[in-house]
Amino acid sequence: MFRRLTLRISALVALVFIAALPARAFDTRATSAYVLDVTTGTVLLEKNAEVPLPPASMSKLMTVNMLFEALADGRVTLSTPFGVSDRAANMGGSTMFLTQGDRPTVEDLLQGIIVQSGNDACVAVAEGLAGTEDAFARMMTDRARNMGLANTSFGNASGWPHPMQRMSMKDLALLARHLIVEFPDYYRYFSQTEYHYKDRAPDNRFNRNPLLRLGIGADGLKTGHTQEAGYGLVGSARQGDRRIVFVISGMMSEKERAEEAEAIVNWAFRQFTMKTTVKAGQRVAEAPVWLGSSATVGLVPAEDVNLLIPAGQRGGITATVNWTGPIPAPIAQGQELAQMVISRDGLSDTVVPLYAEFGVGNAGYTKRLATAAGKVLAMVLGGDTPPPVALPGATSSTN
């Protein structure tokens, strides 16, 4: 009988703890927040993170994403000129001071959106890629759905208040991670501190991101503010081998936003440490094989397992290996067979795929016959399939 088998490992291999004060949960002043360690995929903080809220200018990240995608698939280049309609030129709020008849390039518009938060630039991009801003907003919403941004919809390209303009903080963080990972050649624009188009609007030439000049590894992404949404920020910072992305919303002032953003960065890097707990190819468990040339097969990760550990934590870490077995032969080396779920107090679980350490062929005729006979006898006597084989120091349980 095939069933789900779970192996509970008593301790992670080669896990090293640091001596420091225990990591403390961050008590953010934001009404909604999400902090993600991009390097390990660990969620460090969630607060009302899946609630769709007005994103203000933080939603411009999706407009930038649409333009990055157009660059990536060759529909435009950085030097492609876009027209400026009367509607774009008359946008209020923050602008790059485009006038009707201007022919800004894609690179001009990217900098106008990212650095100057230009509403006029967003409309020019929307009309240049989709004909109308309404059509572009529908494209943005459809693309968000395809990207798995479940709590996102758009009514415009700029983040101007609109009943359809909604994003959750988690969706904004996932979008930021996407921009960082998928577009490394263009992500550099987010760390640019100033820009003004044709020497216009010198007072609006500075990037509003308050972290860029602090020397804490911050290199993006976008601020936002409306009366309805309050002050918000999608930020990212890299220190050493780690990168984090965070989103906060509902702050009361620019000063409070800047203070909270810096505090989150410091907390995320100083209260957690990254450790390699299992090396690539290191056996963490064995699974029984049904009618194979070997009775068991080793289960190994394909890559190093890097875990984010709260500072000073010496316990509260468990790993569970799940598979459906016994696993029938033949088995190819490198075939995915199981998952290891690592749990830590106060952090999201980490799921690691495990693969066959070596190939296992079919058993010979004699062994297959003996196994079948033993199975029949076990059923007659009320027995069951044998338990999984565990590594020394481990215990097993059947679910």
Side-chain angles (χ1 to χ4, degrees):
M1 178 184 296
F2 287 83
R3 60 180 63 190
R4 191 160 188 80
L5 302 171
T6 303
L7 174 68
R8 299 190 186 277
I9 301 176
S10 59
L12 293 178
V13 181
L15 183 60
V16 179
F17 298 105
I18 66 171
L21 293 173
R24 298 174 180 173
F26 189 85
D27 187 16
T28 180
R29 292 176 287 178
T31 58
S32 182
Y34 191 81
V35 183
L36 173 68
D37 184 87
V38 176
T39 308
T40 63
T42 306
V43 179
L44 303 182
L45 173 67
E46 292 184 90
K47 181 180 179 181
N48 299 323
E50 298 193 43
V51 179
L53 297 171
S57 285
M58 296 185 292
S59 68
K60 287 181 169 75
L61 292 180
M62 193 63 187
T63 300
V64 171
N65 178 75
M66 303 295 281
L67 195 49
F68 281 178
E69 290 183 353
L71 283 164
D73 64 24
R75 282 178 285 149
V76 298
T77 68
L78 289 174
S79 59
T80 299
F82 276 35
V84 177
S85 68
D86 181 66
R87 184 172 185 278
N90 285 298
M91 284 296 296
S94 179
T95 73
M96 61 182 289
F97 286 82
L98 295 173
T99 60
Q100 189 175 13
D102 282 337
R103 300 289 291 173
T105 66
V106 165
E107 187 170 33
D108 292 329
L109 293 169
L110 278 174
Q111 294 171 100
I113 295 172
I114 292 170
V115 180
Q116 297 179 287
S117 198
N119 295 326
D120 50 357
C122 289
V123 174
V125 167
E127 293 175 345
L129 290 179
T132 67
E133 188 176 11
D134 287 343
F136 187 72
R138 291 192 294 271
M139 288 172 54
M140 292 168 70
T141 301
D142 290 343
R143 183 69 185 104
R145 293 287 186 271
N146 291 337
M147 293 170 63
L149 308 184
N151 297 300
T152 289
S153 63
F154 298 100
N156 57 57
S158 65
W160 199 261
H162 188 287
M164 287 292 293
Q165 202 80 5
R166 295 291 184 269
M167 297 187 76
S168 71
M169 301 306 101
K170 180 179 179 180
D171 283 358
L172 276 164
L174 296 178
L175 175 57
R177 180 180 64 180
H178 176 81
L179 292 170
I180 293 166
V181 173
E182 297 298 325
F183 304 106
D185 291 341
Y186 303 126
Y187 180 68
R188 59 184 172 86
Y189 289 109
F190 286 102
S191 62
Q192 187 172 328
T193 57
E194 60 181 284
Y195 173 77
H196 53 100
Y197 178 64
K198 293 185 175 180
D199 295 324
R200 300 175 191 173
D203 291 338
N204 192 37
R205 72 182 187 274
F206 296 111
N207 195 318
R208 291 167 172 77
N209 188 334
L211 303 182
L212 295 181
R213 297 174 177 85
L214 299 184
I216 58 175
D219 55 10
L221 295 155
K222 190 76 189 69
T223 60
H225 170 249
T226 62
Q227 185 174 359
E228 181 184 17
Y231 290 85
L233 172 65
V234 183
S236 184
R238 182 173 182 175
Q239 293 185 16
D241 295 330
R242 286 182 57 201
R243 175 182 285 281
I244 65 162
V245 162
F246 67 93
V247 188
I248 54 176
S249 182
M251 309 306 298
M252 300 301 294
S253 66
E254 288 186 18
K255 180 177 181 292
E256 186 178 70
R257 175 176 65 188
E259 292 172 347
E260 193 76 357
E262 184 178 6
I264 284 177
V265 172
N266 290 335
W267 168 78
F269 284 113
R270 294 173 185 172
Q271 285 294 304
F272 300 89
T273 185
M274 189 171 67
K275 297 293 182 182
T276 300
T277 57
V278 182
K279 292 288 188 180
Q282 181 176 354
R283 184 184 300 185
V284 297
E286 293 179 346
V289 178
W290 176 252
L291 296 179
S293 57
S294 173
T296 62
V297 62
L299 301 175
V300 302
E303 300 175 349
D304 289 351
V305 179
N306 295 314
L307 280 187
L308 209 60
I309 308 297
Q313 182 170 324
R314 289 174 170 82
I317 302 177
T318 61
T320 302
V321 179
N322 299 309
W323 70 89
T324 301
I327 300 169
I331 299 170
Q333 182 178 8
Q335 179 179 336
E336 184 174 347
L337 300 177
Q339 288 186 333
M340 178 167 62
V341 181
I342 302 172
S343 302
R344 291 145 295 172
D345 290 344
L347 292 176
S348 59
D349 289 348
T350 295
V351 180
V352 180
L354 297 177
Y355 303 88
E357 183 180 13
F358 47 81
V360 179
N362 288 317
Y365 175 77
T366 302
K367 182 176 179 180
R368 291 170 65 87
L369 183 63
T371 301
K375 177 64 176 176
V376 172
L377 180 60
M379 293 175 64
V380 170
L381 297 177
D384 212 333
T385 55
V389 179
L391 292 179
T395 59
S396 63
S397 63
T398 302
N399 292 342

